[in-house]
Amino acid sequence: MKSIAETIARHLDLPTVSLTPEEAATHFVSPFMAIAYGFDGPVSSSYAQELLGWTPTHSTLLEDLEHGDYLTTPTT
């Protein structure tokens, strides 16, 4: 989550800050959401790849945010 927030903030020229658990509880409206966003739950797609015979072919989320057009201003 931190890497995602930092990448988006950098592209939008916004600051990022770390919050204490108490600050996060009020920022995210509830302590539950603060815990959910702050939980470090690394995951892997290896099981899905093996089960389904699937191999990712596209960029990762961070690569897509970094080089995609999500954070560009449309020209009209």
Side-chain angles (χ1 to χ4, degrees):
M1 291 296 285
K2 180 180 180 183
S3 297
I4 294 168
E6 289 173 340
T7 300
I8 292 169
R10 188 176 63 256
H11 281 273
L12 297 177
D13 197 25
L14 296 170
T16 55
V17 297
S18 293
L19 301 175
T20 66
E22 294 78 21
E23 292 168 330
T26 58
H27 179 78
F28 291 113
V29 182
S30 76
F32 172 78
M33 290 308 298
I35 292 168
Y37 284 125
F39 182 72
D40 184 16
V43 296
S44 169
S45 65
S46 62
Y47 179 71
Q49 290 182 43
E50 183 180 329
L51 179 69
L52 302 173
W54 167 70
T55 303
T57 57
H58 293 33
S59 56
T60 67
L61 173 60
L62 288 176
E63 291 167 344
D64 206 24
L65 287 172
E66 193 68 50
H67 305 291
D69 61 357
Y70 298 103
L71 302 172
T72 59
T73 304
T75 56
T76 55

